[in-house]
Amino acid sequence: MAADLIPIQPEPERGGAAELPDGLTYEESQILEYCREGKGRNEIANLTGLSTWKVSTVAAKHGHYFGRIGQFELAAKKRVDEMRERKHRLAMQLIDAAELYTDALTGVGTPKDGQLVAKALRDILESHELLSGAVAEGESVEDAKDSLMDLRDTMRAVRDGFESKYGVPFDSSEAAEIIKQEANQDGES
């Protein structure tokens, strides 16, 4: 039944033991391909027409073992890979959210809102660091520090720009009133 689902591919016209470019014989490459697909020793033997001993020997030669231990190791490796991928995907979503919060900092309604947005941004960045192992692949610790310093400087520049434009501290009640008036004007436009 399984042989009907997966057609046996004929051996190339190179002779029985010719080596393929990666140094494997045709039989070895077929066995290893079926191992990567997660097929068992008996199923591979049926599909290739080789003995189960030959399938086990070739697989073991290349680091694949059949049986419960091999299945558990393969399942554990697959689970770790899936978790790594999920962590990476979540870390990327957090970076997208951080960009949105950074944009929101420039248009906050009140200084209190600004503080809440800034705290949310800090929390998002800390979560991203935890998920990504603190340093992204190909990035040094110094690059990560520089990136965070740039973000801090940008946030400081927004605050300083506001304070120099209006002459009041960003976290004052006057600043809250100015921001509220600008928000109302933007809403009317």
Side-chain angles (χ1 to χ4, degrees):
M1 176 71 76
D4 296 336
L5 298 176
I6 302 173
I8 297 176
Q9 298 177 5
E11 188 170 339
E13 298 293 327
R14 297 185 182 154
E19 287 195 3
L20 298 175
D22 57 359
L24 299 174
T25 65
Y26 178 76
E27 287 177 344
E28 289 174 328
S29 67
Q30 284 298 108
I31 291 169
L32 294 176
E33 180 61 32
Y34 287 136
C35 287
R36 280 189 285 275
E37 292 174 7
K39 299 192 182 325
R41 173 183 43 231
N42 292 339
E43 186 178 3
I44 295 171
N46 289 335
L47 291 170
T48 60
L50 301 171
S51 69
T52 55
W53 180 85
K54 175 73 173 177
V55 170
S56 294
T57 303
V58 169
K61 177 180 167 186
H62 296 283
H64 181 81
Y65 300 94
F66 297 100
R68 289 201 174 266
I69 293 174
Q71 290 172 347
F72 289 137
E73 288 174 355
L74 185 62
K77 182 182 180 316
K78 184 177 178 182
R79 179 75 176 146
V80 167
D81 290 343
E82 288 172 358
M83 292 300 293
R84 187 177 296 124
E85 176 60 31
R86 288 176 67 193
K87 282 176 61 175
H88 176 73
R89 203 171 38 249
L90 184 56
M92 297 312 298
Q93 289 172 348
L94 286 171
I95 284 296
D96 291 342
E99 289 175 357
L100 292 173
Y101 276 87
T102 302
D103 292 342
L105 265 177
T106 59
V108 294
T110 65
K112 181 141 178 97
D113 290 343
Q115 291 172 345
L116 291 172
V117 170
K119 182 178 181 340
L121 182 59
R122 275 192 311 273
D123 292 345
I124 288 170
L125 291 173
E126 287 175 8
S127 297
H128 175 266
E129 287 179 22
L130 288 172
L131 285 171
S132 64
V135 178
E137 185 176 330
E139 186 178 77
S140 71
V141 172
E142 290 303 316
D143 291 338
K145 285 181 187 177
D146 291 343
S147 174
L148 291 173
M149 297 297 278
D150 289 344
L151 178 62
R152 184 196 66 190
D153 293 342
T154 302
M155 293 170 63
R156 186 176 288 155
V158 169
R159 184 197 66 212
D160 292 346
F162 178 88
E163 290 176 352
S164 67
K165 181 176 179 180
Y166 296 104
V168 295
F170 186 74
D171 58 352
S172 67
S173 59
E174 294 90 5
E177 195 60 39
I178 292 169
I179 292 170
K180 185 185 261 184
Q181 289 174 357
E182 284 186 356
N184 289 337
Q185 289 174 355
D186 288 343
E188 294 172 3
S189 307

